[in-house]
């Protein structure tokens, strides 16, 4: 068997670190958001409808199993378990960056396995830094994007924005000039969603992305897994002291997810990802203006157990979402978006600062 590539090895390390180390942001910004209790709901819990349409596809709940992995041995099993559960429950799913399979075709199956299941909305995934030439590496273009989508039978292509991770990663890409033009070229031909990976999206950037032609934004804000923290552990293992220091310094860098949901609302569908750990968090995200919410680490932990554990976790999140909706008197997601939120500091400061 061929030696694992650098990308393949990195993907394996990411999953192991996320599962075995503390890589969470230090503050849970979802705790700053409160929904107002309605003592007389005047609706029936069993009649609550959480179905929605996202990017033209009908989902039974406003949930996305966020892009996580693929490109190494265990990635196939994880993606199969996630896809089986997503199909069963009727929610969306993304795969991790497909760069590994574009570099090494024998890894295609670790992603393509998701095509074996009837997931209602599938996301392919490429990194924004790879859309421009990096040192010693060619830029990915439209053909690569089409290959990535075909690989997983995707309805939409995620272009992930992970420049925080790149700057603290031992082998990270250092160039960012020209990315928005490259995103625009692909978005002219394919349905693209721009996704941050833990540092959030500001209003200014959301407007740039909308102008570039993306069909939606996954805010991927601060509050959940910190990829700066993940890279801190990798750098420490490799005795790269400067990168280890950078990872520690920028552990809590970014725009909090709830604030980013408000700030990035420029008229495109929004997915709230970053620290979402319950159906109550999902309800808060939708009340703030999100179209759906994404969850990663809880699903990864369940996928290590099996597809049944993922489905069980999804059903629990949906039950929590319905309970929250019942307690605010919202019988569907449209009504939930009309519910007022109390936003405490420091999240309220972020929202105030970012508004024009």
């Amino acid at each position: 068997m061929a030696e694992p590539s650098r990308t393949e090895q990195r993907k394996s390390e990411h999953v192991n670190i996320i599962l075995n180390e503390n890589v969470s942001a230090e503050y849970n910004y979802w705790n700053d958001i409160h929904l107002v209790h309605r003592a007389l709901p005047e609706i029936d819990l069993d009649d609550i409808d959480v179905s929605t349409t996202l990017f033209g596809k009908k989902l039974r709940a406003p949930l996305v199993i966020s892009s996580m992995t693929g490109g190494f041995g265990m990635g196939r099993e994880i993606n199969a378990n996630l896809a089986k559960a997503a199909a069963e429950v009727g929610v969306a799913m993304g795969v991790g960056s497909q760069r590994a399979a574009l570099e090494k075709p024998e890894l295609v199956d670790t992603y393509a396995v998701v095509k074996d299941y009837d997931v209602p909305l599938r996301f392919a995934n490429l990194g924004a830094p790879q859309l421009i030439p990096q040192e010693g590496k060619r830029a990915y273009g439209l053909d690569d994007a089409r290959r990535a989508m075909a690989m997983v039978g995707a309805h939409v292509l995620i272009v992930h924005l992970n420049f925080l991770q790149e700057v603290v990663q031992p082998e990270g890409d250092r160039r960012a000039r020209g990315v928005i033009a490259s995103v625009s070229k692909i978005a002219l031909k394919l349905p693209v969603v721009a996704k941050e990976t833990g540092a959030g999206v500001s209003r200014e950037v959301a407007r740039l992305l909308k102008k570039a032609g993306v069909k939606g934004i996954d805010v991927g804000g601060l509050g959940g897994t910190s990829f700066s923290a993940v890279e801190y552990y990798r750098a420490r293992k490799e005795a790269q002291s400067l990168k280890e220091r950078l990872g520690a310094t920028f552990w809590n860098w970014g725009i909090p997810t709830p604030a980013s949901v408000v700030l990035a609302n420029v008229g495109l569908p929004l997915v709230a990802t970053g620290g979402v750990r319950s159906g109550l968090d999902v309800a808060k995200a939708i009340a703030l203006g999100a179209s759906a919410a994404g969850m990663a680490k809880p699903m990864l932990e369940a996928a290590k157990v099996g597809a049944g554990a993922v489905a069980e976790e999804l059903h629990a999140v949906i039950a929590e979402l319905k309970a929250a909706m019942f307690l605010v008197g919202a019988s569907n997601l449209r009504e939930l978006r009309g519910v007022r939120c109390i936003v405490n500091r420091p999240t309220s400061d972020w929202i105030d600062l970012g508004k024009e």
Side-chain angles (χ1 to χ4, degrees):
M1 188 174 174
E3 281 288 307
S5 68
R6 185 69 175 147
T7 304
E8 191 178 351
Q9 182 181 341
R10 183 168 68 244
K11 289 181 176 297
S12 176
E13 289 172 354
H14 283 166
V15 168
N16 286 324
I17 289 169
I18 290 168
L19 288 172
N20 297 308
E21 302 285 358
N22 171 26
V23 290
S24 295
E26 290 177 356
Y27 188 82
N28 182 351
Y29 293 92
W30 290 108
N31 286 342
D32 289 347
I33 313 300
H34 301 274
L35 302 176
V36 179
H37 176 64
R38 186 181 178 95
L40 290 169
E42 284 297 312
I43 58 172
D44 294 335
L45 179 59
D46 292 341
D47 291 340
I48 290 174
D49 178 14
V50 296
S51 66
T52 192
T53 299
L54 186 64
F55 305 119
K57 299 297 179 181
K58 187 72 180 289
L59 304 179
R60 295 208 294 270
L63 295 177
V64 179
I65 298 176
S66 292
S67 306
M68 280 179 273
T69 195
F72 75 110
M74 191 171 61
R76 186 187 191 282
E77 177 188 350
I78 291 170
N79 279 331
N81 288 339
L82 294 171
K84 184 176 181 181
E88 176 189 323
V89 182
V91 301
M93 176 192 168
V95 295
S97 170
Q98 292 166 262
R99 176 182 181 180
L102 293 178
E103 291 177 352
K104 194 173 178 181
E106 54 263 46
L107 296 173
V108 164
D109 188 52
T110 66
Y111 301 93
V113 66
V114 303
K115 290 198 291 188
D116 295 346
Y117 304 94
D118 190 20
V119 180
L121 174 57
R122 286 188 295 268
F123 295 97
N125 189 351
L126 289 178
Q130 282 75 63
L131 301 183
I132 57 172
Q134 299 290 345
E135 190 173 348
K137 306 169 192 171
R138 71 174 180 88
Y140 287 174
L142 188 58
D143 287 345
D144 299 292
R146 287 189 167 125
R147 282 172 60 204
M149 290 188 72
M151 191 187 302
V152 296
H155 307 102
V156 177
L157 173 69
I158 282 172
V159 172
H160 68 262
L161 314 173
N162 67 326
F163 290 100
L164 170 60
Q165 184 183 9
E166 296 290 354
V167 83
V168 300
Q169 191 168 275
E171 66 279 45
D173 292 323
R174 302 172 66 88
R175 296 173 181 165
R177 193 183 303 277
V179 163
I180 194 71
S182 297
V183 170
S184 186
K185 284 180 185 175
I186 292 175
L188 281 172
K189 301 290 186 180
L190 299 173
V192 169
V193 168
K195 171 182 171 55
E196 239 292 349
T197 58
V201 175
S202 66
R203 180 155 296 177
E204 178 189 8
V205 167
R207 286 174 173 159
L208 285 172
L209 290 167
K210 184 178 183 181
K211 189 176 179 181
V214 305
K215 296 295 189 290
I217 297 171
D218 184 329
V219 301
L222 172 64
T225 297
S226 163
F227 270 95
S228 186
V230 172
E231 298 300 346
Y232 160 84
Y233 286 106
R234 288 188 64 233
R236 190 172 71 173
K237 180 183 174 186
E238 296 180 18
Q240 297 203 28
S241 59
L242 176 58
K243 291 295 187 178
E244 180 183 343
R245 175 170 170 168
L246 282 167
T249 298
F250 291 92
W251 190 300
N252 294 294
W253 174 270
I255 303 167
T257 307
S260 193
V261 169
V262 176
L263 298 175
N265 193 342
V266 292
L268 295 174
L270 286 175
V271 179
T273 304
V276 176
R277 296 290 182 259
S278 71
L280 177 56
D281 293 339
V282 175
K284 292 173 180 179
I286 290 169
L288 287 170
S291 306
M295 301 180 76
K297 188 177 181 181
M299 299 302 159
L300 179 61
E301 290 169 340
K304 280 285 290 173
V305 178
V310 179
E312 186 178 337
E313 179 65 19
L314 288 168
H315 283 303
V317 170
I318 292 168
E320 291 168 336
L321 170 61
K322 287 183 175 180
M325 292 172 67
F326 182 64
L327 294 173
V328 298
S331 60
N332 55 47
L333 299 180
R334 179 184 56 79
E335 292 178 2
L336 180 57
R337 288 189 189 97
V339 170
R340 292 188 65 183
C341 298
I342 294 169
V343 183
N344 289 339
R345 301 179 76 173
T347 299
S348 60
D349 292 338
W350 277 95
I351 293 171
D352 291 342
L353 181 68
K355 284 181 176 176
E356 294 177 1

